[in-house]
Amino acid sequence: MNTSVIYALAAAALFGASTPLAKLLGTEIPPVLLAGLLYLGSGIGLVLLRFIRDRGWKKSGLSVREWPWLGGAIVFGGILGPVALMLGLTLTSGATASLMLNLEPVLTAVLAWVVFKENADRRIVVGMLAIIAGGIVLSWPSGQASSVEQSWGGPLAVAFACLCWAVDNNLTRKVSASDALFIAGTKGLFAGLVNCAIGLTLGASIPPLAALSPTLLIGFLGYGVSLVLFVLALRGLGAARTGAYFSTAPFLGAAISIVLLDESVSMLFWVAAAFMMFGVWLHLTEQHEHMHEHQPLQHTHRHIHDEHHQHEHAEEVAPGSAHSHAHLHYPVRHNHPHFPDIHHRHRH
């Protein structure tokens, strides 16, 4: 299995686990403040982890051209998206919101294919639709409808949140070659501070330490580490495919709930599992190969010397050893299986 696929599925599992783990806390934290604390936990944890890894503060490595992409991702994904979702939840039922959230992978893929010209063949489209169908089945309302008054405002707000996260996914893809810890940590800090400020302004109060500490820890794992893995997956798979794999998060979260919370399994769960497994299988068995040409490209990321990295060093580098530095890719034309990763973003 491709390493990037493992990153994407692991990111989905961690994010999916955050909901049942937060439920295990048994504390009532207002939604906006809870979102802020989860993001804040991810940001603080990843910044500290990066500080320990680099034995001090290290520059981001982002070029001047990349900062606007990261800034846009933070605004859309960390600020506008969560606020729009919380607003939508006050105007519509949770069941309706759950169904609407399945728009995110669709919008992510549409933007990736139409705006950013990412490759998509029939197999990938069908696989994505199967995964989304599984998400819809899993979140389909059962029992009596919520008493929340239904209007167009709520679903539109949730749809706008999905659009914001779709934009975020595609903008983050533009900087995915850079340090994943820095990208995810920066997004977490900004999103956490803004959402916590909004929550406190709305009248919420910081929970006691007994609830605050595990909330921050869940945020670090379910939002922080998950986002790092998501960025690494974007680097190797592109936005549409990563978004499709990440759409398995509700299913994985439900599976974790069954184990941790001893919740019962309905027939809808197994129908959703069948759809998602079929979609993931279609993606895993994808074969995309053709003659393609690489244009000159300069960037920085961790790599080994392979067919795409043929450059010299001032000091000798052991064969097969991974290292990171700014390097230049020279034009080359060849044929081999590939994904729309950071080295294969060519037109078809």
Side-chain angles (χ1 to χ4, degrees):
M1 185 184 293
N2 186 287
T3 304
S4 298
V5 174
I6 297 175
Y7 289 149
L9 292 174
L14 284 172
F15 183 75
S18 64
T19 298
L21 288 177
K23 188 175 179 180
L24 274 176
L25 295 178
T27 56
E28 293 294 333
I29 303 175
V32 176
L33 181 61
L34 178 59
L37 291 175
L38 291 171
Y39 276 116
L40 197 60
S42 75
I44 293 173
L46 294 179
V47 168
L48 289 176
L49 188 61
R50 185 172 184 266
F51 190 86
I52 295 171
R53 182 198 67 181
D54 297 335
R55 299 179 181 179
W57 183 250
K58 183 180 178 181
K59 291 184 178 181
S60 67
L62 288 174
S63 66
V64 175
R65 295 178 291 105
E66 291 176 316
W67 277 103
W69 299 118
L70 178 58
I74 292 172
V75 171
F76 279 96
I79 300 174
L80 294 179
V83 171
L85 176 62
M86 296 308 160
L87 175 62
L89 289 174
T90 64
L91 299 174
T92 190
S93 67
T96 300
S98 295
L99 289 173
M100 293 294 296
L101 286 173
N102 289 286
L103 277 175
E104 182 189 344
V106 177
L107 295 173
T108 296
V110 169
L111 288 177
W113 297 334
V114 176
V115 178
F116 295 94
K117 307 303 180 184
E118 193 172 291
N119 166 255
D121 56 30
R122 186 179 304 172
R123 188 182 193 88
I124 292 300
V125 173
V126 173
M128 186 198 72
L129 292 176
I131 293 172
I132 293 169
I136 293 174
V137 170
L138 192 66
S139 56
W140 195 263
S142 59
Q144 294 183 344
S146 170
S147 60
V148 177
E149 182 181 353
Q150 296 297 308
S151 68
W152 283 106
L156 283 177
V158 177
F160 179 71
C162 292
L163 177 61
C164 288
W165 285 319
V167 172
D168 169 27
N169 293 338
N170 280 279
L171 294 182
T172 302
R173 169 185 177 269
K174 301 287 286 185
V175 297
S176 59
S178 302
D179 185 358
L181 276 179
F182 177 82
I183 293 170
T186 303
K187 291 177 71 174
L189 276 180
F190 276 91
L193 291 172
V194 170
N195 284 286
C196 281
I198 294 173
L200 294 174
T201 301
L202 294 175
S205 57
I206 299 296
L209 186 62
L212 179 62
S213 298
T215 301
L216 294 176
L217 178 60
I218 291 171
F220 169 66
L221 295 173
Y223 283 56
V225 177
S226 174
L227 183 54
V228 170
L229 294 170
F230 187 85
V231 172
L232 293 174
L234 284 173
R235 183 183 298 176
L237 297 173
R241 289 163 177 79
T242 302
Y245 283 118
F246 195 75
S247 298
T248 61
F251 166 73
L252 296 172
I256 292 169
S257 294
I258 292 168
V259 175
L260 294 182
L261 305 179
D262 196 27
E263 295 184 352
S264 59
V265 182
S266 68
M267 180 58 65
L268 288 180
F269 176 84
W270 297 113
V271 174
F275 272 116
M276 289 189 171
M277 290 175 65
F278 176 65
V280 169
W281 174 79
L282 286 175
H283 280 235
L284 289 175
T285 54
E286 174 194 9
Q287 289 293 329
H288 180 75
E289 181 176 357
H290 61 89
M291 184 66 68
H292 57 277
E293 185 173 352
H294 293 267
Q295 299 299 320
L297 172 66
Q298 184 170 0
H299 58 185
T300 303
H301 67 94
R302 193 168 178 82
H303 62 277
I304 61 173
H305 287 173
D306 55 19
E307 59 182 328
H308 293 104
H309 298 89
Q310 299 292 331
H311 48 258
E312 297 181 354
H313 290 261
E315 299 180 359
E316 185 176 352
V317 175
S321 61
H323 54 286
S324 178
H325 61 88
H327 55 277
L328 176 66
H329 292 270
Y330 297 99
V332 62
R333 181 176 174 83
H334 59 185
N335 185 348
H336 65 92
H338 60 277
F339 292 104
D341 57 29
I342 57 174
H343 299 111
H344 297 92
R345 294 178 179 172
H346 47 261
R347 295 182 180 273
H348 290 75

